[in-house]
Amino acid sequence: GKSAEIWFLYHNGAVWVCSPTTTHRVKRVQAGKTQAKIAVGKADGPTFTAKGSLVKDEAVNKVMFETFAKKYADGWSSYEKQFKEGLANGSRTLVRYDPQ
């Protein structure tokens, strides 16, 4: 896959992202290709191997929204509605990456 910069949450020992269901990262997990290489900071930054899974977890959603509001304060107000509505209507999903 190709590197992509995405907003993330580190929580309970995993990296969480909220992605549209049309993205390659979601489609790969749906196809059973769960192995991922996570780069921290930049595409050539430190990396780790992880196993991806698609998850529905309202408690994680809440933590993610609170974290994003602080961590991405400059941009969150522009994306908050998309994230919340997407998770509610199924056009977005949580992807959990567990380090291996």
Side-chain angles (χ1 to χ4, degrees), residues 1 10 12 29 43 50-51 53 57-60 65 69 72-73 75 77 79-80 84 90-91 95 98-99:
Y10 181 74
N12 289 341
V29 173
K51 181 179 181 183
S53 59
D57 189 321
E58 291 296 324
V60 172
F65 297 150
Y72 305 112
S77 63
Y79 293 98
E80 179 178 11
K84 290 181 176 181
S91 64
V95 183
D98 288 292

Side-chain angles (χ1 to χ4, degrees), residues 12-85:
N12 289 341
V15 173
W16 300 80
V17 298
C18 179
S19 292
T21 56
T22 55
T23 61
H24 290 294
R25 78 181 56 84
V26 172
K27 289 179 180 182
R28 278 194 302 272
V29 173
Q30 288 172 328
K33 299 175 183 174
T34 59
Q35 197 77 353
K37 180 178 174 183
I38 307 294
V40 180
K42 298 180 186 179
D44 62 349
T47 64
F48 64 92
T49 303
K51 181 179 181 183
S53 59
L54 304 181
V55 179
K56 290 185 181 187
D57 189 321
E58 291 296 324
V60 172
N61 292 355
K62 183 175 189 259
V63 172
M64 181 178 58
F65 297 150
E66 291 169 356
T67 302
F68 283 5
K70 294 174 190 168
K71 184 176 181 183
Y72 305 112
D74 291 343
W76 179 239
S77 63
S78 298
Y79 293 98
E80 179 178 11
K81 184 177 178 180
Q82 279 180 262
F83 277 70
K84 290 181 176 181
E85 287 181 358

